[in-house]
Amino acid sequence: MREGNDVKTTARANQRHPTLVDIAALANVAPMTVSRVINGSGYVSLKMREKVQRIIDKLEYHPNALARGLKSQRSHVIGILVPDILNPFAAELAGSIQEAMLVRGYTAFLSTTEQSTKREHAALSAFFDHRVAGIAVATVETASGNEALERFTRRGMPIVVVGRNAAPVGIDRVTADHWQGAYDAVEHLISLGHKRIAYIGGSPRTAGRLRRFHGFLEAMHAHGLGVPEELIAGPNHESGPGYSKQADGYEAMKRLLSLPHPPTAIFARNDFTALGAMSAARDSGVSIPGDIAIVGFDNVPQSAFTTPPLTTVAQPTAQQGREAAAMLLDRIEGGADREQREICLECQLIVRGSTVVPAVMPAARDRGQAQGLPATSDGAHA
Amino acid sequence: MREGNDVKTTARANQRHPTLVDIAALANVAPMTVSRVINGSGYVSLKMREKVQRIIDKLEYHPNALARGLKSQRSHVIGILVPDILNPFAAELAGSIQEAMLVRGYTAFLSTTEQSTKREHAALSAFFDHRVAGIAVATVETASGNEALERFTRRGMPIVVVGRNAAPVGIDRVTADHWQGAYDAVEHLISLGHKRIAYIGGSPRTAGRLRRFHGFLEAMHAHGLGVPEELIAGPNHESGPGYSKQADGYEAMKRLLSLPHPPTAIFARNDFTALGAMSAARDSGVSIPGDIAIVGFDNVPQSAFTTPPLTTVAQPTAQQGREAAAMLLDRIEGGADREQREICLECQLIVRGSTVVPAVMPAARDRGQAQGLPATSDGAHA
DNA sequence: CTGTTAGCGCATTCAG
DNA sequence: CTGAATGCGCTAACAG
């Protein structure tokens, strides 16, 4: 009888994936013992443990996570949903969440929406269907997205949203104070004597959705400065839910510079928009910061390497990721129905050469880590 | 008896995830019928189908992918492994693979190695343990990585590697001809009269691993030009397996410019390195392309927006993704043990202002789609 | 310390 | 066209 088993299971194992039962048969133990060895749970004698482990190694046995998850009703995978993988904020955020979860024994699977609500729905459903332990969502708010998030939350799925103005009911949220960051940036420009400051990255109609735009507006008002509509420049309808790119910044800047009474400073919605604006300025023979000052937002790696380096607002991206991971873990491992939690971190203005001419040697000094270069890689595949 | 069932299952459904059995009980049909409705397989009368579907919708039933996969021994998820989410090549590649798989009914989960072999191993194992239908790998070659790939391949896991010089035995591969791209770029520089051309992005010791470096070298030799060691500039030991960033390009360029007999042209290992080199040149008061010409590699979005715009080599990233997806699908849906397949696509030189001064109006003209701007987004989160 | 029993949620197979 | 039985691979809960 033992013979029969051995022969049969050995044959099977050679064909495809060996199972826990195969291991057990080869080791002449019960499947449960093998399970204990794998999970390091319960008591197994050292001798037996080694014997089993040897067979596991030899067969290159990989536990079937599907079966495990089905039986145990939990998984050690979390899902991360980001809008766009090319987005440095999303990239760094995902990296830090992944990092934080990894040390707690969780794997992270990433999915992107590519600015499509249909894909967003598909991605969230895929996570849910696979019964991930939790989901971190860094996409821009949409009605259908929120609906799905609330539905999953009702089903007990731990979820945290990052970078949003508001979270659906019952969902944890972590964000940074873009309003304050924008306010600081604009005050910086005003302190330099600028009065006519333009916003690039949205139309008067669309810009209002961003807190950083409100920070811009309110800083202007607080100093008695107005913002005529002609100084709000950018694409009228957004490409997908919430983006602005270099080309948008380029176009917007060109338009602003052709104004009878152009602005003396620019507050750009993000660094890419700002970079596009810088290109446009140089192509038009307008000097930075001499003729026009520019401030960006996000502190992307290349912002430190433009000429001149770009003044920008840095948000604590990695920290947001860590906080999000902590909230998620907290819900996963216990507090499924604790109160909703929210956290808002501070942004920091990073002054570089696009607003002020440094006293001496702009170059080297502005590129140090201390000056706020993001910690993540900006390398390219090679 | 029917009563009892209804009550019991309804209660369960309200608590957590409703199951197929719950639906069946509510619809007074066999579980199998519900399964048929969900999968659209087999014959179910229209009336019954509608009745069941109504209950599915009402309970917001989501089939458990774990159970499905366990039973059916296959999954509709593929894994994509990339080195670094901030890497534009990886980002665009992942997007196009995802896109191609989506229309064929597969979901893609992404994982990153963050330049750690340990993480690479963990990510691959996670994919394997979850019995994904296939894996696309775009990481740089490592011994331990290859070992894992071969092991999984032996187990029947469909795998395709992208962007590598060579694939482990039995594994499909898609890549672009970096050698030719580099060769073309260098010939372009030589045709402009340059003879003293430097390579930035690696040391004499490390550069040899890249095909683009060999393309550089051989183009030089083919034209009777030598490459002294002092003209190969870059970090000596790489940060992680295979990267080079703006800071590296900056440092390397500074060093080259301080040479007694500096080069008149630069071939940079990738665009980020090239951008760093451009910054260094400008900080040193060296004009581009007047004093020194620069060529990059990869055609990242911002390369079109530098001043001057960067001449670079574009690889057909999206197409590589589509080819990779096609190979993967082919193996998944049938040819598990067909012959190993390899495909190599062509690169294309994109000439911009960092090597030649355009005849008229550099700006607008160099930014059109026709000039090779990548199709993917370069937007930033906002 | 080890083994036995039972079943997670679903789809394949075979009967009606 | 519909249903019943069976088991995917694993582990919780109990025995020994």
Side-chain angles (χ1 to χ4, degrees), chain B residues 113-184:
Chain B
T113 64
E114 308 292 342
Q115 310 170 16
S116 141
T117 58
K118 202 169 138 194
R119 281 214 199 177
E120 175 174 30
H121 189 264
L124 284 174
S125 289
F127 284 146
F128 185 82
D129 293 353
H130 281 84
R131 303 297 191 262
V132 295
I135 307 179
V137 180
T139 57
V140 187
E141 193 156 4
T142 66
S144 81
N146 276 356
E147 194 269 325
L149 293 183
E150 287 186 343
R151 196 169 67 229
F152 294 159
T153 299
R154 280 199 303 273
R155 280 278 216 290
M157 174 68 73
I159 296 178
V160 55
V161 299
V162 184
R164 292 199 184 180
N165 296 349
V169 48
I171 295 181
D172 295 336
R173 177 169 74 102
V174 38
T175 185
D177 193 347
H178 299 179
W179 187 94
Q180 184 67 48
Y183 197 98
D184 292 350

Side-chain angles (χ1 to χ4, degrees), chain A residues 308-327:
Chain A
L310 181 66
T311 294
T312 189
V313 177
Q315 47 175 320
T317 310
Q319 197 187 339
Q320 287 180 78
R322 286 190 295 272
E323 296 287 356
M327 282 183 176

Side-chain angles (χ1 to χ4, degrees), chain B residues 3 34 40 58 82 85 112 121 138 181 257 295 312 321 338 355 357 368 382:
Chain B
E3 287 298 313
V34 179
K58 188 161 119 233
V82 296
I85 198 182
T112 64
H121 189 264
L257 290 176
V295 178
T312 188
R338 66 153 157 72
T355 53
V357 180

